[in-house]
């Protein structure tokens, strides 16, 4: 599975022949200024909630690629009204089977509103189960006991967890979350983009090492294979 990082919580997964993009916030992100948004190819766009730092480029990329946008009902409806032709609304607990695998929407503890201030439903995460690997994209969330339900249904290979603190979990809570969902490999996200969520990378790596977890902090525009 090939994973490319575009900053904040935006990741592009190449799953077989399908390209799955999470939470595209690129063009307003100064740290991602070298990324050409219009060059990004996506078949599916998964949004965790409505905040601008997760949806800023969703309409643009969806229209460029005729991609299917997947989000909670309110977020999906908002983008339908923006002219995105292909959407699939979900709500927590719901799942959909797609050509690359199964996507289940799960609980996240966070607020959600759209860039224009309208109601954005509830914040969510996703569990994606493919033929070869299963992973958890937590979205923006606090640590919650609901995470313990995930390994009762899925055998995860890795998780993408926010570590920036202030608006989400910090690294300490993220390591507890990794235990809750029973993974040893974590890709960090939602850090460094704004002053509120700046982290000390050496410090977070040390916390992960003490927790016996592999913490992957990707560089923007870096691609890895898992």
């Amino acid at each position: 599975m090939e994973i490319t990082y575009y900053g904040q919580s935006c990741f592009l997964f190449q799953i077989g022949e399908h390209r799955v993009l999470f939470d595209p916030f690129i063009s307003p992100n100064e740290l991602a200024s070298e990324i050409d948004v219009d060059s990004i190819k996506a078949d599916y766009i998964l949004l965790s909630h409505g905040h601008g730092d997760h949806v800023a480029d969703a309409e643009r990329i969806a229209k460029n690629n005729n991609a299917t946008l997947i989000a909670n009902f309110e977020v999906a409806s908002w983008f339908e009204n923006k002219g995105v032709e292909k959407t699939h609304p979900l709500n927590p607990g719901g799942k959909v089977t797609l050509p690359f695998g199964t996507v289940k929407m799960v609980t996240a503890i966070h607020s959600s509103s759209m860039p224009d201030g309208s109601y954005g439903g509830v914040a969510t995460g996703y569990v994606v189960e493919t033929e070869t690997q299963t992973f958890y994209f937590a979205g923006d969330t606090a640590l919650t006991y609901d995470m313990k339900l995930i390994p009762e249904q899925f055998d995860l290979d890795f998780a993408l967890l926010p570590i920036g603190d202030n608006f989400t979990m910090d690294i300490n809570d993220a390591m507890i979350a990794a235990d809750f969902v029973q993974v040893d490999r974590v890709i960090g996200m939602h850090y460094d983009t704004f002053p509120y969520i700046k982290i000390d990378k050496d410090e977070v790596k040390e916390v992960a090492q003490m927790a016996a977890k592999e913490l992957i902090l990707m560089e923007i525009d870096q691609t890895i294979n898992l």
Side-chain angles (χ1 to χ4, degrees):
M1 186 179 293
E2 189 176 271
I3 307 169
T4 301
Y5 183 47
Y6 293 124
Q8 188 67 336
S9 300
C10 182
F11 296 84
L12 179 67
F13 283 74
Q14 183 78 41
I15 305 174
E17 62 184 23
H18 305 286
R19 296 159 299 193
V20 183
L21 184 69
F22 287 84
D23 283 1
F25 171 74
I26 303 165
S27 59
N29 183 359
E30 293 181 1
L31 300 181
S33 60
E34 299 301 315
I35 305 299
D36 177 9
V37 174
D38 293 321
S39 72
I40 295 174
K41 304 301 181 184
D43 303 300
Y44 298 90
I45 301 172
L46 276 63
L47 304 179
S48 64
H49 62 294
H51 288 162
D53 61 324
H54 296 261
V55 307
D57 295 302
E59 177 186 349
R60 179 175 173 182
I61 296 172
K63 289 179 177 178
N64 283 349
N65 293 275
N66 193 30
T68 299
L69 187 147
I70 298 168
N72 73 37
F73 178 81
E74 289 79 8
V75 173
S77 297
W78 192 85
F79 279 101
E80 285 179 2
N81 291 333
K82 290 283 187 178
V84 175
E85 294 183 356
K86 295 165 65 176
T87 66
H88 187 106
L90 288 172
N91 263 326
K95 63 180 180 298
V96 58
T97 299
L98 299 167
F100 61 86
T102 299
V103 172
K104 181 167 185 174
M105 184 174 276
V106 296
T107 300
I109 305 298
H110 192 70
S111 57
S112 179
S113 57
M114 305 310 300
D116 62 2
S118 60
Y119 178 55
V122 296
T124 66
Y126 293 97
V127 176
V128 178
E129 188 172 27
T130 74
E131 288 186 358
T132 58
Q133 295 195 82
T134 302
F135 64 91
Y136 169 44
F137 180 88
D140 280 11
T141 188
L143 180 65
T144 169
Y145 251 54
D146 285 353
M147 294 171 179
K148 288 195 168 188
L149 295 173
I150 292 173
E152 293 187 11
Q153 296 179 298
F154 300 96
D155 182 14
L156 298 179
D157 293 285
F158 61 94
L160 297 93
L161 303 177
I163 60 172
D165 203 1
N166 198 82
F167 298 115
T168 68
M169 298 186 289
D170 66 1
I171 186 62
N172 296 289
D173 282 357
M175 293 300 97
I176 297 171
D179 282 336
F180 282 4
V181 300
Q182 298 178 18
V183 297
D184 293 324
R185 177 178 285 175
V186 172
I187 299 176
M189 63 181 182
H190 206 272
Y191 63 88
D192 278 0
T193 314
F194 312 111
Y196 281 126
I197 59 173
K198 293 284 186 182
I199 65 169
D200 182 323
K201 291 185 179 179
D202 290 333
E203 182 178 318
V204 300
K205 289 176 181 177
E206 182 177 349
V207 171
Q209 185 176 14
M210 293 294 292
K213 305 295 183 188
E214 178 188 359
L215 176 64
I216 300 171
L217 301 180
M218 296 178 63
E219 299 293 334
I220 292 176
D221 207 25
Q222 179 185 4
T223 299
I224 62 173
N225 284 281
L226 290 182

